[in-house]
Amino acid sequence: MKKIAILGGGESGVGAALLAKAKGFKVFLSDKGILSDKYKEILNQNEIPFEEGQHTEEQILDADEVVKSPGIPDKVALVQKLKSLRIPIISEIELASRYTKAKIIAITGSNGKTTTTLLTYHLLKNAGLNVGLAGNIGDSFAKQVIDDTLDYFVLELSSFQLDNCFEFKADVAILLNITPDHLDRYNYEFQNYVDSKFRVLQNMTPSDNFIFYQESEALANELAKKTFPVNYLPVSLQEKVAQGGSLQNERLEVTYQENHFSFALEDLPIKGSHNAINAMSAILVAKVLGIENDKIAEGLKSFKSVEHRLEPCGEVGGVKFVNDSKATNVDSVFYALGSFNDPIVLIMGGVDKGNDYSQIEALVEQKVKALICMGTDNQKLLDYFGKKVPLIFSVDSMQKAVTLGQEVATEGDVVLLSPACASFDLFKNYEDRGRQFKAAVSALTIA
């Protein structure tokens, strides 16, 4: 009996453990942190041995294969030991893909992948397809393929998940954009991050479809250097394309083979040019899978915006409050700022991942009347934007940021939480940050 060791006991790790056990492997799960009661109960019920608060090396180094949580960097000593022993290290996505007959729609990019994944899933589900949602969102992919009853999976994939995929193959891949992000995990080499994102194309064939935003500079540069044996379906905001999607006269125009679909941009429930890209990408998937135009239009109109992504969360005294906590990099903030014509009070800050703020400099000078820097160390933001905005402040809590935002905003302004940074200095994660923002705004409305 082969042994699989699982590193990390979150949703993906526990799902991988359940799948490995179901397929007859000897399984051991190890987490250096403390497991949640929910996952401990699942492991105990399924008689899967595990440990928490440590990694017992002799239990892990004798495994035939290791499934590593995407949150664990390669530079960790235990991972380096596994590599030196040539023990294969894979992701939960790689493991799960071995055990499904379903067609896979794989979605990645620095920004927009959650919205695109949820919209794609919604369009397919609304049309009656037997489809699952997994990857960086929803229930574990591995857990869902134990019984393998679905015909399609829509997967949101991060670069970290793709890094440990080798035989994984997508039937449709979407690559939305590539901008500098997570460079601390890639030795501060942007090309390493680009290479990671392009792993979504590995193992694809000429009968498979590749949907991509053609105006993404890094993406275009890479495609100029390499060709891939896939059917290219570009999405453009600037020009008409024969096959793919383009924005023409404020309409989404999407063509796949002989089939065409048209939809008014103003009827899209998610706003901003970035969401035109996301929507056309999702529509292309629907067209590839043969979904009728009326079903696609119905699905687009009924879609609800994603929590923590340009999410309206209240209006106080004519001031709108918008939660964009999922904007953990500069590119996301660029799109967020471009979504509003009203004056903006911008709340930014957190754990800087090597950010280059020059991308948003002009937009900040043009649109931001006040910048509230929120974090334990705001010096980089203060130094960069100190002379570029009329008002700049430094705070160390969400409550202070929201209260200050209300004080400096006037009727018609937007108070926008769009941090450009990771959340781990003051919050558990970006969801916690967004919910604290919404709670603070609710307290204003009650007061």
Side-chain angles (χ1 to χ4, degrees), residues 54-97:
Q54 63 181 8
H55 288 315
T56 303
E57 289 194 1
E58 56 266 30
Q59 281 273 43
I60 297 162
L61 297 178
D62 72 341
D64 297 289
E65 194 166 48
V66 172
V67 179
K68 179 177 77 69
S69 162
I72 301 172
D74 281 353
K75 61 187 176 187
V76 168
L78 178 57
V79 175
Q80 290 298 313
K81 279 189 183 179
L82 287 164
K83 288 188 169 187
S84 71
L85 294 170
R86 298 189 176 179
I87 297 170
I89 304 169
I90 63 170
S91 69
E92 175 236 351
I93 302 300
E94 175 78 1
L95 178 70
S97 68

Side-chain angles (χ1 to χ4, degrees), residues 152-222:
Y152 301 93
F153 272 103
V154 181
L155 304 181
E156 177 190 330
L157 298 179
S158 69
S159 58
F160 301 161
Q161 289 167 314
L162 288 166
D163 284 337
N164 292 105
C165 283
F166 304 97
E167 301 301 321
F168 169 83
K169 175 190 171 299
D171 297 280
V172 181
I174 298 177
L175 184 42
L176 294 162
N177 47 62
I178 308 176
T179 57
D181 197 8
H182 304 299
L183 295 188
D184 50 334
R185 279 282 289 264
Y186 293 99
N187 296 319
Y188 294 94
E189 290 286 340
F190 183 46
Q191 186 61 47
N192 293 342
Y193 177 60
V194 171
D195 293 343
S196 176
K197 286 297 188 186
F198 267 87
R199 290 176 73 90
V200 76
L201 288 166
Q202 65 187 354
N203 307 313
M204 291 178 72
T205 69
S207 63
D208 299 322
N209 290 282
F210 172 42
I211 299 163
F212 62 98
Y213 174 45
Q214 73 171 22
E215 278 96 50
S216 170
E217 184 179 353
L219 213 164
N221 289 342
E222 198 68 13

Side-chain angles (χ1 to χ4, degrees), residues 279-311:
M280 286 189 285
S281 300
I283 293 163
L284 273 166
V285 175
K287 295 308 296 176
V288 165
L289 299 184
I291 295 173
E292 296 294 330
N293 284 356
D294 59 341
K295 277 292 180 187
I296 297 174
E298 183 184 283
L300 289 172
K301 289 174 184 174
S302 62
F303 182 66
K304 301 286 191 297
S305 62
V306 180
E307 188 180 14
H308 311 302
R309 194 70 186 95
L310 291 174
E311 177 192 10

